[in-house]
Amino acid sequence: MRKLLLSSLILFFVQMGFSQTLPTPDQFLGYALGTQFTPYHRVLDYFKAVAAVTPNMQLSQYGTTYEGRPLMLAVISSPENMGKTEQIRQHNLDLSSGTGKPATGDPVIVWLSYNVHGNEAVSTEAAMITLYLLANKANTETQDWLKNVVVLIDPCLNPDGRERYVNFYNQVHTRFADPLLFAREHNEPWPGGRSNHYYFDLNRDWAWQTQKESQQRVAQYSRWMPQVHVDFHEQSIDAPYYFAPAAEPFHDIIKPWQRSMQMLIGKNNARYFDKEGWLYFTKEFFDMFYPSYGDTYPTYNGAIGMTYEQGGGGRAGLAGLKQDGDTLTLSQRIAHHRTTGLSTIEIASQQASQLLNEYAKYFYEAVHSPEGPYQSYVVKAAGNNEKLASLGVLLNRNGIRFGYGAGISKASGFNYFNGKTESFTIDKEDMVISAAQARSNLLKVLFEPDSRLTDSVTYDITAWSLPYAYGLQTYALRQPLTPAKDSLQVTVNTALAAARPYAYLARWNSIKDVRFLSALLQKKIRVRYAEGEFMAGGKNFPAGTLIITRSGNEATNGQFDEQVVSLANTYKTTLDAVTTGFVEKGVDFGSEKVRFIKPVRIAVVMGEGISSLAAGEVWHFFEQQINYPLTVVDVKQLPNVNWKALDVLILPDGNYRYLSDKDFANKLRDWVNGGGKLIVMQDALAQIAGLDWGIHQKKLDDDKDEKKDEYALLKTYANREREGVKQLIPGAIYKVQLDNTHPLAFGFPSVYYTLKQDSRIYEYLEEGGWNVGIIKKDNYLSGFVGAEMRKKLKDGLIFGVKEIGEGKIVMMADDPLFRSFWENGKLLFGNAVFMVW
């Protein structure tokens, strides 16, 4: 308590102007860095204290987390540079637009990002000492560097996750740090502190920006566009320190100068580590491929993006005993991150001129001679304007310019969906993207139909192409195209309310339609859907179209039209109004084939054994994307669930020990049999398949006709990683054939593109089941699949519905909500929740 009061008083006097002394972290906090983990609010207090006595520093809040914690950014440089920071920033944006040229003496911009994974908590501690050494006027070395460098410091990218970890550790650690790794303080409870509030991995969200923290941070990143970006991490406790140069595969769009600069910075880091006798490694494990990391995303935006990995992580605590017998301390971890951060600034200062010249050249070439065979892209609207608008939001967030229509009506290009080059028409609603723009390289990476791997051993998924992720027909053209207009006029439904029609109709083909349905249900407006196609008012409407009739909605107290139209405008949903329930083709609105959508009561299971990432995707989907109430059930409480209170139970990817309990499994089946709906995903589905419920995982047997190699078991130890990937699928895209007459596939064409991360497929369902989404042979599209696995992965079920009594089991072998960027899967999941009954 005395320490807390002392540090609070120091901050008070600093803010009141009574002290002009720069405090060290130890002086301000009242304890030595490395002797305990610092709560986030105290970290911010220290940054504020330094800013208050450092004229050449600016500190600003750029956002908040889901739990309301501030996100902060510090800017520090020489007094001369700080006097013209806005001029420097604007000039730098000219360079990144391909129009500016660097001038003699221009500073380079270095951005240091700390603690994107909350339980890699050393990062934020290191940020404080790094800030002090940069702010300290007596440190002539750093002051000299700052003449050529503007340093931006984000002390904690993930405050919610960090606080989850720090609160855990500070509550349970013993008085004397216990280095034994089986001690309680080294073992976090589920879900751990790595992820943010919704259990998303923010280090895989830079490009997709599905999370609030990422959206706000990348907006700031785009305001500055640094030449160097470092993302500070931790890895396993027994690993030495890792720094660039990175491992293969390097994406082939990464420039030689970017690779050579990584090497130069790495050698300087090594020089300092050699001096201290610290162990380190480079060129292993951490590759430069997947575009949504804190190293690759800046790299694809013209910077030198790098990951630095300290051994430790959430298990290390204040002190952890390694396998080699040494004890790794928090103080040592801080020292290592401090050293690489300053070493990077040093090289950036020395190489400022070259960095700026190459950076400017990078964007100039992107605008005037974009790399790769494709000069433009056309994304077809084809009645999916709402889905196209969602893609537009993502492109805007990434600074990629686009428009609609073109000066020509016909063109020829590569068809992503069939792999052929063919002629097609360009409609005025189609999105047109020119490759001749500043963010051309990022555009190419996000839209490339098949990424070329220079090494099959990679750290993450190997396919992500946006046309597949969004399910939008796209063409890549070798000819340049310029959009005819910058935007489309949004349809407004306001005039419909005055007509007081018999019913409103809303087509069903995107996540925005799921949001609209959710809003209607929250307003207690009764909604139906059509099981099949129909024609009304001279227009054709597909299966799944929402039908909102005046009849049955008398409880809106005369506000029916105003409420429906207002919600449609809010969610940018186009409505059609009809004056009769008698249709020209199909079934009338009173038919039993027009089904009522009930406002379902939904629960998701979370807890030990369950993937926090998968559970978080479901949680985020309901709360942040469709605004629908969700009950979160801890897995330990499953035996105590009141089954009568639930309509839908979701089991995300994970290991459910209760499914091995015969009594519980029987109760669950009885609930389904009585009308409940069970949505099971990935490993949860594999466990259900182990029960006698009529669901069977397909065995991927070796080809019986293939002659066995009698020497197949004789493998070289040095090639063990290469041998391992023969059975691997680190994230590849497969084409799924859909039965789009089934409610699970409403709103889709006959094909869906799935991101396959494992080898599980299921046998076709026989009686009492529907094979809604299947893969056949030759359905592979993009990404790495091990040679042996690619031959076997065919002719099986990916998405299906098993009927048990009055209820349903919705089978999802793949994750349609993957990292929340697989946009097309969200409609599939929405169908599973609301349409399948």
Side-chain angles (χ1 to χ4, degrees):
M1 178 63 72
R2 292 179 63 191
K3 292 180 179 178
L4 180 61
L5 289 173
L6 176 63
S7 58
S8 297
L9 285 171
I10 291 172
L11 176 62
F12 172 77
F13 286 120
V14 166
Q15 291 176 334
M16 293 299 292
F18 297 137
S19 172
Q20 291 299 313
T21 302
L22 176 69
T24 68
D26 296 3
Q27 291 168 340
F28 181 84
L29 298 171
Y31 55 83
L33 275 184
T35 59
Q36 69 181 68
F37 285 105
T38 307
Y40 182 62
H41 73 277
R42 299 294 294 129
V43 175
L44 297 188
D45 285 347
Y46 179 69
F47 267 68
K48 292 173 184 176
V50 174
V53 297
T54 307
N56 55 314
M57 175 185 169
Q58 297 171 357
L59 182 66
S60 60
Q61 179 176 338
Y62 67 83
T64 57
T65 68
Y66 283 112
E67 295 178 13
R69 294 184 175 90
L71 296 166
M72 307 294 289
L73 187 65
V75 183
I76 188 165
S77 189
S78 67
E80 181 183 6
N81 289 334
M82 291 304 296
K84 52 180 181 179
T85 52
E86 185 59 19
Q87 178 183 337
I88 290 170
R89 189 184 70 81
Q90 290 290 350
H91 180 57
N92 194 62
L93 290 181
D94 290 339
L95 300 184
S96 63
S97 70
T99 59
K101 293 183 179 180
T104 302
D106 280 352
V108 68
I109 298 173
V110 175
W111 184 308
L112 305 179
S113 289
Y114 296 91
N115 228 150
V116 69
H117 292 146
N119 58 3
E120 297 174 9
V122 65
S123 297
T124 295
E125 308 291 335
M128 288 188 282
I129 187 61
T130 302
L131 176 68
Y132 170 77
L133 293 171
L134 292 173
N136 186 1
K137 294 294 189 296
N139 190 330
T140 57
E141 192 172 36
T142 59
Q143 299 310 298
D144 192 51
W145 297 341
L146 291 178
K147 294 176 183 177
N148 301 320
V149 182
V150 174
V151 179
L152 285 77
I153 297 178
D154 188 331
C156 187
L157 279 64
N158 182 10
D160 293 350
R162 176 184 165 82
E163 286 299 273
R164 193 183 309 133
Y165 173 76
V166 171
N167 286 338
F168 152 75
Y169 190 85
N170 286 344
Q171 288 175 20
V172 306
H173 74 83
T174 53
R175 179 181 177 188
F176 304 103
D178 190 338
L180 298 176
L181 296 185
F182 57 78
R184 179 173 66 160
E185 62 195 72
H186 295 291
N187 295 277
E188 295 176 81
W190 192 96
R194 178 182 177 88
S195 51
N196 76 337
H197 173 78
Y198 282 106
Y199 308 155
F200 273 70
D201 186 334
L202 295 180
N203 191 41
R204 283 142 173 91
D205 195 45
W206 279 78
W208 319 131
Q209 299 168 54
T210 69
Q211 300 301 288
K212 182 178 182 180
E213 295 91 343
S214 304
Q215 293 167 13
Q216 296 168 128
R217 180 181 68 255
V218 177
Q220 285 299 308
Y221 187 95
S222 294
R223 289 186 70 247
W224 283 95
M225 291 296 287
Q227 283 75 44
V228 178
H229 180 267
V230 181
D231 201 17
F232 290 88
H233 287 263
E234 291 185 76
Q235 53 187 322
S236 68
I237 190 170
D238 290 299
Y241 199 98
Y242 164 84
F243 47 74
E248 294 285 352
F250 268 72
H251 196 285
D252 58 9
I253 207 167
I254 297 174
K255 309 301 182 186
W257 70 269
Q258 291 175 303
R259 299 183 66 155
S260 64
M261 193 61 69
Q262 270 202 4
M263 181 68 74
L264 191 62
I265 293 171
K267 286 182 176 180
N268 200 53
N269 290 340
R271 180 170 66 89
Y272 284 104
F273 273 56
D274 290 342
K275 182 179 179 181
E276 299 292 337
W278 296 336
L279 292 176
Y280 58 91
F281 68 96
T282 66
K283 303 181 289 294
E284 294 181 67
F285 305 136
F286 304 104
D287 58 67
M288 299 287 289
F289 199 66
Y290 174 69
S292 206
Y293 284 136
D295 55 5
T296 51
Y297 184 82
T299 300
Y300 298 148
N301 279 287
I304 310 301
M306 295 171 294
T307 290
Y308 292 169
E309 296 267 357
Q310 164 63 46
R315 296 207 68 196
L318 294 180
L321 185 63
K322 302 193 298 178
Q323 290 181 359
D324 62 9
D326 285 342
T327 297
L328 178 67
T329 68
L330 179 59
S331 296
Q332 292 170 331
R333 292 151 62 197
I334 292 171
H336 298 161
H337 268 340
R338 177 203 68 210
T339 300
T340 55
L342 294 175
S343 167
T344 301
I345 295 170
E346 178 183 27
I347 290 297
S349 176
Q350 294 172 1
Q351 301 294 321
S353 178
Q354 182 185 357
L355 277 167
L356 290 169
N357 284 325
E358 293 288 1
Y359 181 84
K361 180 181 176 184
Y362 180 95
F363 289 102
Y364 179 86
E365 290 179 348
V367 172
H368 294 91
S369 54
E371 189 168 323
Y374 301 125
Q375 299 298 300
S376 56
Y377 303 86
V378 175
V379 187
K380 299 290 292 179
N384 284 307
N385 290 340
E386 293 162 0
K387 197 180 294 183
L388 199 65
S390 295
L391 175 61
V393 170
L394 177 68
L395 297 180
N396 275 324
R397 285 176 176 164
N398 284 289
I400 296 173
R401 295 183 292 104
F402 60 90
Y404 298 90
I408 58 175
S409 60
K410 291 186 177 181
S412 177
F414 172 83
N415 183 335
Y416 280 73
F417 283 10
N418 64 19
K420 299 177 181 178
T421 297
E422 60 187 26
S423 297
F424 67 98
T425 59
I426 303 175
D427 299 315
K428 62 181 181 180
E429 298 86 5
D430 296 342
M431 179 181 287
V432 174
I433 312 169
S434 170
Q437 59 173 296
R439 303 290 181 100
S440 178
N441 292 310
L442 179 62
L443 169 66
K444 178 183 183 296
V445 172
L446 297 182
F447 270 76
E448 56 193 351
D450 193 8
S451 305
R452 189 178 69 85
L453 278 166
T454 58
D455 194 313
S456 57
V457 180
T458 183
Y459 194 65
D460 210 305
I461 64 170
T462 57
W464 51 77
S465 186
L466 293 182
Y468 303 128
Y470 280 74
L472 289 166
Q473 175 70 276
T474 301
Y475 293 89
L477 286 68
R478 293 180 179 272
Q479 69 184 91
L481 277 184
T482 301
K485 51 188 175 181
D486 293 334
S487 61
L488 287 177
Q489 184 176 357
V490 178
T491 302
V492 178
N493 301 294
T494 306
L496 294 178
R500 297 291 191 265
Y502 178 89
Y504 294 100
L505 308 178
R507 287 172 170 81
W508 181 261
N509 58 20
S510 78
I511 181 64
K512 286 189 177 181
D513 302 316
V514 183
R515 293 189 191 108
F516 176 52
L517 172 62
S518 172
L520 291 169
L521 296 178
Q522 295 301 299
K523 288 285 188 180
K524 302 189 185 314
I525 295 173
R526 296 168 68 86
V527 185
R528 294 172 171 80
Y529 72 83
E531 273 192 3
E533 297 179 8
F534 64 93
M535 178 183 284
K539 295 182 179 180
N540 291 313
F541 295 88
T545 295
L546 300 182
I547 301 172
I548 313 158
T549 59
R550 185 178 303 279
S551 174
N553 280 304
E554 291 81 5
T556 55
N557 297 320
Q559 298 298 309
F560 170 70
D561 299 276
E562 288 76 8
Q563 288 185 12
V564 173
V565 170
S566 175
L567 290 174
N569 288 336
T570 297
Y571 294 97
K572 297 181 173 58
T573 297
T574 301
L575 293 177
D576 283 280
V578 291
T579 58
T580 175
F582 185 89
V583 302
E584 291 107 271
K585 291 182 181 179
V587 297
D588 298 325
F589 295 165
S591 167
E592 64 177 10
K593 293 183 179 180
V594 173
R595 307 289 297 274
F596 172 64
I597 302 175
K598 63 180 180 179
V600 287
R601 299 164 298 177
I602 306 166
V604 62
V605 181
M606 299 187 188
E608 292 293 338
I610 299 169
S611 165
S612 60
L613 299 176
E617 290 165 0
V618 175
W619 187 16
H620 187 267
F621 174 83
F622 283 100
E623 288 196 355
Q624 294 296 324
Q625 297 185 52
I626 68 169
N627 193 32
Y628 195 87
L630 176 73
T631 297
V632 175
V633 179
D634 189 284
V635 66
K636 295 176 183 177
Q637 294 298 318
L638 273 178
N640 303 320
V641 166
N642 176 6
W643 296 105
K644 293 180 181 179
L646 291 181
D647 301 303
V648 180
L649 181 66
I650 303 169
L651 303 184
D653 184 30
N655 179 29
Y656 296 80
R657 63 183 180 86
Y658 281 114
L659 290 177
S660 301
D661 181 278
K662 186 176 180 180
D663 289 341
F664 175 80
N666 287 338
K667 286 182 182 179
L668 182 61
R669 179 169 178 143
D670 289 344
W671 172 74
V672 175
N673 191 67
K677 179 164 57 180
L678 185 64
I679 300 176
V680 284
M681 305 170 72
Q682 297 171 281
D683 281 0
L685 175 56
Q687 285 187 266
I688 293 291
L691 305 175
D692 187 22
W693 290 13
I695 295 171
H696 304 287
Q697 189 173 329
K698 185 175 180 179
K699 295 181 180 179
L700 303 182
D701 296 325
D702 293 326
D703 193 329
K704 295 175 182 173
D705 296 328
E706 186 178 330
K707 186 177 179 180
K708 298 294 182 183
D709 181 359
E710 58 185 310
Y711 300 113
L713 296 178
L714 304 180
K715 299 173 182 176
T716 305
Y717 180 76
N719 290 334
R720 61 193 183 280
E721 288 185 322
R722 298 289 175 273
E723 290 292 330
V725 300
K726 291 181 179 179
Q727 300 286 348
L728 188 65
I729 309 177
I733 298 173
Y734 273 77
K735 182 188 296 185
V736 175
Q737 265 74 34
L738 288 181
D739 172 10
N740 59 8
T741 68
H742 190 281
L744 183 57
F746 280 171
F748 287 93
S750 60
V751 171
Y752 171 84
Y753 298 93
T754 190
L755 186 67
K756 196 117 197 70
Q757 294 178 274
D758 60 41
S759 61
R760 290 195 183 104
I761 56 176
Y762 292 81
E763 293 181 1
Y764 297 137
L765 298 171
E766 297 179 358
E767 293 297 320
W770 300 99
N771 302 295
V772 182
I774 64 170
I775 59 171
K776 301 178 180 179
K777 64 179 180 180
D778 301 326
N779 270 27
Y780 162 82
L781 266 180
S782 176
F784 177 77
V785 180
E788 294 179 8
M789 185 54 59
R790 188 165 171 179
K791 290 187 292 184
K792 301 174 185 177
L793 199 57
K794 59 185 179 181
D795 298 322
L797 176 68
I798 302 296
F799 304 109
V801 176
K802 174 67 178 176
E803 297 177 346
I804 297 181
E806 297 297 318
K808 306 270 192 307
I809 298 177
V810 180
M811 304 164 56
M812 294 188 159
D814 295 341
D815 182 5
L817 300 179
F818 181 73
R819 295 180 185 169
S820 198
F821 91 87
W822 206 258
E823 191 73 13
N824 208 26
K826 296 174 184 177
L827 178 63
L828 191 74
F829 195 79
N831 285 340
V833 172
F834 295 108
M835 296 293 189
V836 176
W837 287 105

